């Protein structure tokens, strides 16, 4: 996999249209393959959720408003991940900036309990292949969906 980041600002401002289209098509094809692999790994129950401060904070806010459990929240996030499409794409593939890891992150926006949620996930290949969901929380910034029609 060639690590390429689709930065919409750079592409809108700095590259000719032909280059933007070619990279855009490359990202779409890579994304289709990645999403299919994500769905296959989920069907094999090979998925792990990271409970970061932001993820837990989002759950707690939804629990107060909706009376949901942590399992309810993760189940809805899981359903949303299974239903991701190219239109949910936000950024990636992005390299991991953490020394000692070599993950490739994909970033999406989706709706969970009728609220926008930011997702960041990777397919981790050390210790057996699995999907790791690093982020599933309210977005900190506006999510730009470059492939949304």
């Amino acid at each position: 996999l060639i690590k390429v980041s689709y930065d919409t600002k750079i592409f809108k401002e700095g590259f000719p249209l032909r280059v933007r289209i070619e990279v855009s098509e490359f990202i779409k094809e890579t994304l289709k393959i990645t999403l299919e692999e994500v769905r296959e790994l989920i069907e094999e129950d090979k998925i792990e959720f990271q409970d970061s401060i932001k993820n837990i904070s989002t759950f707690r806010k939804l629990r107060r408003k909706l009376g949901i459990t942590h399992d309810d929240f993760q189940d809805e996030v899981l359903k949303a991940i299974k239903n991701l499409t190219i239109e949910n794409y936000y950024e990636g593939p992005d390299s991991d900036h953490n020394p000692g890891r070599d993950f490739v992150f994909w970033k999406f926006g989706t709706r969970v309990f009728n609220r926008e949620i930011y997702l960041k996930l990777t397919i981790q290949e050390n210790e057996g292949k699995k999907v790791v969901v690093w982020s599933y929380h309210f977005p900190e910034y506006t999510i730009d969906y470059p492939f949304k029609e």
Side-chain angles (χ1 to χ4, degrees):
L1 174 66
I2 299 170
K3 296 178 183 178
V4 176
S5 183
Y6 184 84
D7 184 323
T8 54
K9 275 188 194 168
I10 291 173
F11 282 173
K12 286 179 183 172
E13 300 166 6
F15 287 94
L17 180 60
R18 183 179 59 75
V19 172
R20 290 193 310 253
I21 291 170
E22 288 174 9
V23 171
S24 175
E25 291 307 312
F26 170 78
I27 294 291
K28 285 180 181 178
E29 288 305 311
T30 305
L31 189 54
K32 285 179 190 175
I33 293 165
T34 300
L35 288 174
E36 185 57 39
E37 187 172 12
V38 165
R39 284 190 265 287
E40 288 172 7
L41 289 167
I42 289 171
E43 287 303 312
E44 297 171 16
D45 201 30
K46 294 180 180 176
I47 185 164
E48 177 182 306
F49 288 91
Q50 296 294 313
D51 282 331
S52 71
I53 292 170
K54 292 176 192 174
N55 297 341
I56 291 172
S57 174
T58 296
F59 157 66
R60 287 180 177 155
K61 288 174 185 173
L62 289 172
R63 180 181 61 193
R64 281 193 296 274
K65 281 190 174 226
L66 305 173
I68 63 168
T69 66
H70 191 260
D71 285 346
D72 293 335
F73 180 48
Q74 284 189 344
D75 287 348
E76 287 300 308
V77 171
L78 186 61
K79 284 182 205 172
I81 293 170
K82 287 180 184 178
N83 291 312
L84 289 174
T85 68
I86 289 171
E87 289 191 353
N88 295 107
Y89 171 82
Y90 171 45
E91 287 181 350
D94 288 335
S95 298
D96 190 350
H97 300 292
N98 189 334
R101 294 189 318 209
D102 190 28
F103 298 149
V104 175
F105 293 110
W106 292 91
K107 300 170 186 176
F108 303 90
T110 190
R111 304 216 44 100
V112 173
F113 294 112
N114 206 29
R115 287 163 177 83
E116 188 174 45
I117 298 290
Y118 164 79
L119 296 172
K120 180 170 84 171
L121 54 90
T122 188
I123 297 175
Q124 182 176 315
E125 298 193 28
N126 59 349
E127 303 174 23
K129 201 176 245 191
K130 64 183 172 184
V131 176
V132 180
V133 186
W134 290 92
S135 298
Y136 51 107
H137 55 76
F138 296 133
E140 296 176 314
Y141 308 100
T142 301
I143 296 178
D144 177 33
Y145 298 94
F147 301 135
K148 199 163 213 165
E149 295 183 19

